[in-house]
């Protein structure tokens, strides 16, 4: 299960941030490692909401720093 | 045609400057969503566009109503596609000297003129960000730049639009979206119809252009800022006033 969520998060991250799959690892920070600015993060979150059919409130976005944070959050929602 | 296939939303499209803007976009091939407080008021503008061979649809909306804005803009996107150009033109006046102004007069003008633009802009942002292009044009006013006795509410709302314009320009600039404002001077519309003849005569005398403006003068400026080739102009306020404050 976990791999599936990670793979989908990775796919969305690659599409939104223009990075390659090998760069997207669980401990990578969207902003510090993957070059996202604040607007990129908003777009990424919107894309994740669409991909997983969940709503991610702003307060939760603030704690979603890494790929792993996003995976854990989405798993907790499903 | 300059705007073939582009979906354009114009608020306050029933008459005056908004109607003229809607007609001008339609004449350049745009699909125009004509928004007015009541759908039947927007119908007249739509009829004129369709009669001229253009494409438009009418929508009824109170732009200060958050839920209604979200609903109507979703409908517009469903009917006409992702919004490429948004023109925030809806506005009203409740003029009186501040000494006599009622709190409701302040609130209503700020709600429609300023909050309305905030809500509609928010409604089109997502689509424009995805499309990596977009044009937002806010209709401010020379009184937002220079102030006006008897219009603290209106001038504050129009000055507020300038702050909104610049901030949106900064937030969305990296996505190919521009946000600019136009500050019309005295334009011959229902809104300025009730000004005294004396006031109008002075406005004409003060303007190097030697006349009041026409709604078409504003529409021309809006189309310029909304054009694809104007992508390097953002966060600006263009005063279209016949040189009134030179």
């Amino acid at each position: 299960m976990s791999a599936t969520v990670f793979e989908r998060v990775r796919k969305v991250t690659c599409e939104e941030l223009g990075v390659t799959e090998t760069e997207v690892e669980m401990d990578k920070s969207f902003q510090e490692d993957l070059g996202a600015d604040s607007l990129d993060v908003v777009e990424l979150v919107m894309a994740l909401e669409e991909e997983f059919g969940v709503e991610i409130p702003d307060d939760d976005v603030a704690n979603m720093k890494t790929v792993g944070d996003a995976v854990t959050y989405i798993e907790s929602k499903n | 045609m300059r705007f073939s296939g582009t979906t354009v939303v114009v608020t306050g499209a029933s008459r005056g400057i908004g109607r003229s803007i809607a007609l001008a976009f339609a004449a350049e091939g745009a699909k125009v969503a004509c928004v007015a407080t009541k759908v039947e008021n927007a119908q007249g503008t739509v009829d004129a566009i369709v009669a001229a061979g253009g494409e438009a649809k009418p929508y009824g909306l109170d732009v200060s109503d958050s839920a209604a804005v979200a609903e109507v803009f979703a409908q517009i996107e469903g009917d006409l596609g992702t919004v490429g150009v948004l023109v925030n033109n809806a506005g009203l006046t409740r003029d009186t000297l501040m000494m006599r102004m009622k709190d409701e007069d302040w609130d209503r003008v700020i709600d429609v003129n300023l909050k309305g633009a905030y809500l509609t802009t928010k409604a089109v942002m997502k689509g424009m960000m995805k499309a990596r292009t977009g044009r937002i044009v806010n209709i401010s006013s020379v009184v937002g730049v220079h102030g006006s006795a008897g219009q603290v509410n209106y001038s504050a709302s129009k000055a507020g639009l300038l702050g909104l314009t610049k901030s949106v320009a900064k937030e969305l600039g990296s996505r190919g979206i521009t946000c600019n404002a136009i500050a019309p001077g005295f334009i011959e519309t229902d809104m300025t119809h009730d000004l005294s003849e004396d006031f109008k005569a002075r406005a004409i005398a003060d303007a190097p252009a030697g006349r009041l403006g026409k709604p078409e003068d504003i529409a021309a400026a809006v189309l310029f800022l909304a054009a694809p080739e104007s992508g390097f102009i953002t966060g600006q306020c263009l005063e279209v006033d016949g040189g009134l404050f030179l």
Side-chain angles (χ1 to χ4, degrees):
Chain A
M1 271 309 272
S2 171
T4 311
V5 172
F6 169 70
E7 281 166 12
R8 288 164 71 190
V9 169
R10 184 172 64 186
K11 176 177 72 87
V12 171
T13 304
C14 290
E15 283 167 7
E16 293 297 322
L17 302 183
V19 293
T20 60
E21 285 201 356
T22 50
E23 290 175 88
V24 184
E25 295 167 351
M26 287 292 272
D27 63 345
K28 287 284 160 60
S29 157
F30 293 116
Q31 297 208 43
E32 279 157 34
D33 301 315
L34 301 177
D37 63 18
S38 56
L39 199 53
D40 289 322
V41 172
V42 173
E43 288 189 286
L44 178 68
V45 167
M46 283 176 358
L48 289 173
E49 287 177 329
E50 211 164 288
E51 170 75 21
F52 292 96
V54 294
E55 193 158 326
I56 308 175
D58 280 354
D59 288 350
D60 294 339
V61 173
N63 298 320
M64 214 181 277
K65 304 252 186 269
T66 66
V67 175
D69 292 341
V71 171
T72 308
Y73 180 85
I74 289 159
E75 282 174 344
S76 77
K77 283 275 176 178
N78 286 343
Chain B
M1 290 195 285
R2 281 197 288 169
F3 293 96
S4 285
T6 303
T7 300
V8 176
V9 178
V10 181
T11 66
S14 61
R15 54 205 172 116
I17 292 173
R19 177 186 165 94
S20 184
I21 293 167
L23 290 170
F25 272 114
E28 289 288 347
K31 296 176 280 182
V32 185
C34 299
V35 178
T37 314
K38 292 198 174 72
V39 67
E40 55 267 32
N41 295 345
Q43 189 63 50
T45 303
V46 169
D47 290 346
I49 288 171
V50 172
E55 187 179 351
K57 276 182 86 86
Y59 298 89
L61 172 67
D62 173 354
V63 293
S64 69
D65 180 339
S66 179
V69 169
E71 191 182 316
V72 168
F73 273 73
Q75 200 189 328
I76 290 171
E77 299 225 322
D79 293 343
L80 303 174
T82 302
V83 178
V85 178
L86 169 66
V87 183
N88 286 311
N89 167 76
L92 49 82
T93 55
R94 292 276 189 279
D95 295 352
T96 188
L97 289 173
M98 189 162 165
M99 290 280 286
R100 295 182 57 80
M101 189 169 287
K102 294 188 177 65
D103 293 353
E104 305 89 271
D105 295 333
W106 171 269
D107 289 341
R108 187 64 188 144
V109 168
I110 299 290
D111 271 358
V112 172
N113 299 11
L114 184 55
K115 187 185 177 189
Y118 155 77
L119 292 173
T120 56
T121 301
K122 208 170 171 185
V124 301
M125 265 183 182
K126 203 171 174 178
M128 287 183 178
M129 279 169 68
K130 274 200 174 151
R132 288 290 190 271
T133 183
R135 297 280 181 269
I136 300 163
V137 181
N138 296 319
I139 305 301
S140 177
S141 167
V142 287
V143 306
V145 180
H146 301 279
S148 173
Q151 295 193 300
V152 288
N153 48 3
Y154 185 77
S155 62
S157 74
K158 294 301 187 178
L161 277 178
L162 300 179
L164 180 138
T165 298
K166 291 171 199 179
S167 299
V168 169
K170 287 190 175 188
E171 283 198 14
L172 302 182
S174 65
R175 299 302 188 271
I177 300 164
T178 69
C179 184
N180 291 289
I182 288 171
F186 293 101
I187 310 299
E188 289 180 273
T189 65
D190 291 349
M191 192 184 271
T192 55
H193 183 74
D194 294 336
L195 295 171
S196 71
E197 287 306 316
D198 183 44
F199 187 93
K200 284 183 201 169
R202 261 186 296 135
I204 292 169
D206 286 348
R211 64 173 175 88
L212 295 179
K214 301 188 297 289
E216 293 76 18
D217 293 320
I218 305 307
V222 173
L223 265 66
F224 163 66
L225 291 173
E229 56 271 29
S230 296
F232 204 53
I233 305 170
T234 194
Q236 302 303 305
C237 175
L238 182 56
E239 293 182 42
V240 182
D241 61 1
L244 192 59
F245 292 92
L246 292 175

